[in-house]
Amino acid sequence: MSLEEEILKRIKPTPEEEKEIMDVAEDLVERSLSIISEMGIDAEPIIVGSVAKGTFLKNPDIDIFIRFPPETPREEMERLGIEIGRAIIPDGRENYAEHPYIHGVYRGFEVDIVPCYRIEDGSKKMSAVDRTPFHTEYIKSHISEEQKDEVRLLKRFMKGIGVYGAEAEIEGFSGYLTELLIIYYGSFMDVLRASQRWKRGTRLSLEEDKGNRFDDSLIFIDPVDPKRNVASALSVDSFALFIYAAHEYLSKADERFFFPKKREAASYEEIRAEIERKGTEIIGFEIDRPDLVHDVLFPQIKKAKRTVAQRLNDAGFTVLSSTYKAYDDKITFIYELEVHTLPSVKKHYGPPVWHPNSENFLKKWKNIHKRIEMGRWVVQIPREDRDALSYLKRTIPDANLGKDLTEIAKKSFRVLSRKDIIHEHAMLITEMLFPLFPWQI
Amino acid sequence: MSLEEEILKRIKPTPEEEKEIMDVAEDLVERSLSIISEMGIDAEPIIVGSVAKGTFLKNPDIDIFIRFPPETPREEMERLGIEIGRAIIPDGRENYAEHPYIHGVYRGFEVDIVPCYRIEDGSKKMSAVDRTPFHTEYIKSHISEEQKDEVRLLKRFMKGIGVYGAEAEIEGFSGYLTELLIIYYGSFMDVLRASQRWKRGTRLSLEEDKGNRFDDSLIFIDPVDPKRNVASALSVDSFALFIYAAHEYLSKADERFFFPKKREAASYEEIRAEIERKGTEIIGFEIDRPDLVHDVLFPQIKKAKRTVAQRLNDAGFTVLSSTYKAYDDKITFIYELEVHTLPSVKKHYGPPVWHPNSENFLKKWKNIHKRIEMGRWVVQIPREDRDALSYLKRTIPDANLGKDLTEIAKKSFRVLSRKDIIHEHAMLITEMLFPLFPWQI
């Protein structure tokens, strides 16, 4: 039995499991239909997603969409959709993507019940949610039975190396993209091999490509809407990581690509020794975690991480590497610095000597030795913060960290010293100091 | 008596001194004439420079040009010119600017005897040397008796603040430019006042300005050749310094602008304490001084200083300030650093992951943890030099420091530690750590 066959055995639902999944899905459709009929409204439930397409792994989410006629007012559609969802899963939670929807557990499965519009074809202007049924339809009508297993392998491989999912936290490959790749190239191994010829901007299409411009790492023209790139959420790092993982897998296949080992944190002594050896410094900070959905929160965290790195660099505290982690209750940012202590003075440029502002400049720095460089005033003025931790402490609580993080940082910001970090974030610092790709653990 | 009158008394030759200067100059012309006649050649001696123009200070250099007909072959003109010079000043030294010339002492005065071509008008294509007689003529016919004293004041002021002389070491105002400024504005005080309205690119002309483009700090169209900017050798720093000095003099006149005090070096303890206070580091190096004329040597020194500063910065050793000094036998370069010690690793970027060069990159850094950033490989590789002095020691002897300095650096390069610098270059480090403008000493 090949490794891929072995993996497939572990990830593919057994016929009994599959029967149960389909049974639950149909049960959900029937319950929806009877509730719709009781309510006397015009709406239609359909199964979408991997369960509808037959590409699901064990314990899949089951996605039921309730389609409303396009003339339904948006508010009414949302209200009725939620009402139907609540009737089926009374203890479900109302989530929000492009519409509100109900998420909960039904007969042991995670279920989403999502209202949307019924629209004539996939290229009409609509939300991503409204487009989903067209994607489901396209895959169902283009994928072969054998390819469904190939999709399963590719999904599990991507999960294993950490690039599965289009959400902001991952910025990876969506399920739909995975299915299209299998249809395009034929099999799991074919996708891996093909990826060795990919480069930034590689462009693929199963249907007509109308040549719309996309500035993404990978472009896969949506077969139901040529104006859309299915891979638009894929970051260049996820793109690159997939190519590298495929390269490594092709040279030496291993189950750890699908099922990476769990990493163990390095010991306090190992971490301390590595920092000593490198002669770097580790600092960081934490803020409370705001109550935001992932797709709103993670872009802000990533941006804040970059903003702070840029500020440290600009202040002369050179950043060697950085990382973050969103815990349930807080977000932690960590920076490894090449330079963490600086002189008590810094170089400060003034206006050209002949400029009218010279007068003010000279008044302002009256008691400081002046130099002229390239015609401009130069002074060495006192530096506000000689070490990076003081710099963070003084400047970050008032910094612009993005829409929602700025306010919460004002209230909850706290710095983390090297010691704090080693003691409280051993795993995070282990990953930063000894980076390994998932299959290398 | 005004301060300017007092200064003038100190710098202007007395009538007796003036008589002697003129007497020596005429003596030089007569001796040249008789030697030319003895040699039976066609040439004509003329007095040029400040002595001819009546704008000289005490103990001026006396410049005698020997003009040859334009059809004289260049070699012959140079050979005969040197022969005449040697006949007048047998122990003179042969120097080289655009032509070779003889420099020596005659009856107690520094004298230059310079061969050149007699050309019809100043705008004809010729060397700067050939143009000099036209400059002399122009000034003689446009300057008033009173303005000659104003020129003297302006020259002395510029000498005092360190911006007098167009040579590469100073990059300041030439005597000719000084005279033109007085003719243009009227008086010493008028030039100072006018300079407060100068800015980079200020353009002045006494005759027709044909609008030729000049990319210099100050533009003064040569009245004998509109294609030439008389101020082309003026650096932006000398330009700026003059404007600032004028500003300060106008607000509080002081003889120290004309006659700055001699600076005393700070004590070992003062220097050490200042470095400690700032938390910077001082390093440097020396090379033997090559036997080159100033106008060849100084541009190379300045360029080498910048090259090394750039290399230090690129290597992560941030330069706060730098200086140099050309001693008789060696050239010393000193750098004040914000960062002088760095981690044992540095960040190194590789190709994009999908690039064919990836293969080589991964092979090369086989045993080093890899990261992916923005789609590119990133590794932390061993840093060759953790401190700036080792970095200089390893890299500068093989660096390109310019045409003549590169070879001499290979053979004679030696680093200077902080201790070496404080002990051996106390004055230089004093000026670097406690910079003062000449009138502030």
Side-chain angles (χ1 to χ4, degrees), chain A residues 23 87 94 178 271 354 378:
Chain A
D23 194 53
E94 186 173 330
T178 312
I271 294 170
W354 53 84
V378 176

Side-chain angles (χ1 to χ4, degrees), chain B residues 59 80 127 131 137 140 145-146 152 166-167 179 189 194 245 249 263 288 291-292 336 342 347 360 368 395 398 404 408:
Chain B
N59 298 311
L80 294 170
S127 73
R131 209 182 284 110
E137 210 42 58
K140 280 164 76 172
E145 211 49 47
E146 299 73 41
R152 290 184 166 104
E167 62 267 30
E179 290 151 355
M189 289 301 284
Y249 186 85
R263 186 147 199 196
D288 288 350
D291 184 22
L292 295 169
E336 183 180 21
L342 287 168
K347 200 167 178 174
N360 282 333
I368 290 181
T395 65
D398 296 319
D404 300 293
I408 212 148

Side-chain angles (χ1 to χ4, degrees), chain A residues 191-426:
Chain A
V191 174
L192 262 47
R193 279 189 286 263
S195 75
Q196 301 308 293
R197 298 184 306 273
W198 288 354
K199 49 187 173 27
R200 199 176 202 148
T202 285
R203 190 169 181 119
L204 310 172
S205 184
L206 282 162
E207 305 291 333
E208 196 193 359
D209 179 349
K210 293 197 169 157
N212 292 51
R213 217 189 120 72
F214 298 103
D215 200 20
D216 300 313
S217 303
L218 177 67
I219 296 132
F220 202 124
I221 304 298
D222 190 344
V224 308
D225 182 358
K227 294 188 299 297
R228 198 176 159 266
N229 173 21
V230 180
S232 64
L234 180 69
S235 73
V236 66
D237 284 352
S238 295
F239 175 68
L241 179 54
F242 178 76
I243 293 171
Y244 179 52
H247 179 271
E248 294 299 286
Y249 186 85
L250 290 169
S251 96
K252 192 173 186 316
D254 193 304
E255 69 162 34
R256 287 191 298 173
F257 287 86
F258 301 94
F259 295 103
K261 295 218 171 75
K262 212 173 135 42
R263 188 152 197 190
E264 273 174 39
S267 72
Y268 182 90
E269 263 318 303
E270 283 170 310
I271 294 170
R272 222 187 49 80
E274 177 67 359
I275 296 172
E276 290 291 316
R277 181 189 75 78
K278 290 167 78 170
T280 55
E281 184 53 290
I282 308 280
I283 63 163
F285 67 93
E286 285 177 347
I287 59 175
D288 288 351
R289 176 171 177 157
D291 185 22
L292 294 169
V293 298
H294 282 202
D295 280 355
V296 174
L297 178 61
F298 280 90
Q300 289 194 35
I301 296 179
K302 290 175 186 185
K303 187 140 179 287
K305 191 189 79 160
R306 283 197 305 274
T307 300
V308 174
Q310 193 54 58
R311 281 169 155 267
L312 284 165
N313 276 319
D314 290 349
F317 304 109
T318 330
V319 174
L320 191 60
S321 66
S322 60
T323 191
Y324 74 88
K325 188 165 175 69
Y327 296 90
D328 286 344
D329 57 340
K330 67 188 174 191
I331 310 164
T332 302
F333 298 82
I334 296 184
Y335 298 88
E336 182 180 22
L337 302 175
E338 286 192 276
V339 175
H340 57 91
T341 313
L342 287 167
S344 66
V345 296
K346 65 176 178 184
K347 200 166 178 174
H348 175 69
Y349 288 90
V353 170
W354 53 84
H355 195 278
N357 291 351
S358 260
E359 205 79 49
N360 282 334
F361 181 85
L362 293 174
K363 214 173 290 167
K364 179 161 183 191
W365 304 111
K366 201 163 58 224
N367 298 319
I368 290 182
H369 292 291
K370 270 140 224 107
R371 291 172 168 87
I372 296 172
E373 278 182 23
M374 298 305 287
R376 289 176 68 183
W377 289 115
V378 176
V379 284
Q380 292 181 3
I381 60 171
R383 183 186 294 277
E384 292 93 333
D385 306 288
R386 292 196 60 176
D387 72 278
L389 209 60
S390 314
Y391 176 76
L392 287 187
K393 207 181 286 181
R394 184 176 61 82
T395 64
I396 300 306
D398 296 319
N400 181 359
L401 297 182
K403 198 166 166 303
D404 300 293
L405 298 191
T406 303
E407 273 312 300
I408 214 150
K410 266 201 214 324
K411 281 177 272 177
S412 64
F413 176 90
R414 53 209 177 265
V415 290
L416 298 169
S417 69
R418 180 211 292 217
K419 216 171 140 190
D420 298 334
I421 293 165
I422 303 182
H423 279 111
E424 297 164 29
H425 302 281

Side-chain angles (χ1 to χ4, degrees), chain A residues 278 338 371 383 432, chain B residues 278 338 371 380 383 432:
Chain A
K278 290 167 78 170
E338 286 192 276
R371 291 172 168 87
R383 183 186 294 277
M432 179 186 231
Chain B
K278 289 167 80 170
E338 286 191 276
R371 291 171 168 87
Q380 292 181 3
R383 184 186 293 277
M432 180 186 230

